[in-house]
């Protein structure tokens, strides 16, 4: 059984919650991070209680909060072995019509989806270098193609580039970097226009994460693209 420390942002639901379940089964001690932690309290008790699971309220848009959290985890639990920069949000956008969310709401998505993983990586990588650990980032199949009027897709393009930039800088450090790119996943926020489309379950993506981190330390799974059967490549 693994005994490392596994930090997951966006852990209150969806892919983050499903990954926490599998990581606990694999024997990791968990740091479950979210803006709102009410949903995490019961899960933490079920997955092992305070000796095995640490619930942390943290806004990944705020560098000071992310940095302080990582420092505290390393100080109190002795290190970090896996960090899953998973927190993300989505809003509907259009550049030519009034459809979707108004532009003032777009900033939260950009900060969460781009600055969030960047801040998480910057805070965690010194600890991961010390442990020879693993950084995992949640991208999206939407970050591999053009989606008309879709700013969410652009933020996930940014995560694709971020993962490549981090991996290049980590050459020679022993740190592994994996970008997981899910297709449409049933995390509770699917727009009505795609309600009938094929979907992944969060646990499907979680298994991909555990596959990547479960490889020998000489193997770096750079990218995993996983879509539900029947999803169009351009969706």
């Amino acid at each position: 059984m693994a005994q490392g420390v596994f930090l997951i942002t966006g852990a209150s639901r969806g892919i983050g919650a499903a990954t926490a379940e599998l990581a606990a089964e694999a024997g990791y001690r968990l740091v479950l991070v979210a803006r709102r932690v009410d949903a995490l309290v019961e899960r933490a008790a079920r997955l092992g209680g305070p000796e095995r699971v640490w619930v942390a309220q943290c806004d990944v848009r705020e560098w000071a909060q992310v940095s302080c959290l990582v420092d505290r985890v390393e100080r109190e639990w002795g290190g970090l072995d896996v960090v899953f920069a998973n927190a993300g949000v989505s809003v509907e956008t259009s550049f030519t019509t009034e459809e979707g969310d108004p532009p003032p709401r777009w900033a939260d998505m950009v900060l969460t989806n781009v600055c969030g993983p960047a801040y998480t990586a910057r805070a965690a990588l010194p600890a991961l270098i010390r442990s020879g650990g693993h950084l995992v980032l949640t991208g999206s199949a939407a970050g591999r193609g053009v989606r008309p009027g879709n700013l969410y897709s652009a933020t996930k393009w940014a995560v694709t580039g971020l993962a490549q930039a981090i991996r290049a800088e980590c050459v020679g450090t022993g740190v592994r970097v994996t970008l997981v790119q899910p297709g449409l996943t049933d995390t509770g926020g699917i727009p009505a226009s795609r309600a009938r489309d094929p979907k992944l379950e969060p646990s499907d993506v979680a298994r991909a994460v555990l596959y990547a981190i479960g490889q020998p330390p000489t193997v770096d799974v750079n990218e995993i693209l996983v879509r539900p059967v029947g999803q169009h490549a351009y969706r």
Side-chain angles (χ1 to χ4, degrees), residues 6-10 14-24 26 28 30 81-87 134-139 176-182 185 200-216 219-226:
F6 193 140
L7 184 150
I8 303 171
T9 69
I15 293 168
T19 302
E21 299 277 346
L22 294 186
Y28 284 96
L30 302 176
D81 299 278
V82 183
V83 172
F84 186 17
N86 168 70
H134 202 139
L135 176 68
V136 184
L137 302 98
T138 299
R176 298 184 289 173
V177 181
T178 298
L179 174 66
V180 178
Q181 298 178 306
T185 305
L200 295 169
E201 292 297 324
S203 58
D204 299 327
V205 185
R207 284 193 296 274
V209 174
L210 269 290
Y211 165 79
I213 67 174
Q215 299 306 301
V219 176
D220 190 0
V221 179
N222 293 169
E223 296 186 7
I224 299 178
L225 172 62
V226 53

Side-chain angles (χ1 to χ4, degrees), residues 21-79:
E21 299 277 346
L22 294 186
E25 290 178 9
Y28 284 96
R29 289 181 291 164
L30 302 176
V31 182
L32 304 182
V33 181
R35 292 188 203 180
R36 291 176 291 276
V37 298
D38 294 350
L40 291 175
V41 175
E42 183 276 333
R43 181 174 297 114
R46 180 167 49 78
L47 294 180
E51 293 185 358
R52 303 290 305 174
V53 185
W54 178 352
V55 172
Q57 185 173 23
C58 179
D59 187 340
V60 298
R61 300 171 301 176
E62 299 291 337
W63 161 250
Q65 292 186 30
V66 179
S67 177
C68 287
L69 172 62
V70 170
D71 287 347
R72 185 180 171 195
V73 171
E74 192 174 26
R75 184 173 63 251
E76 297 189 13
W77 271 9

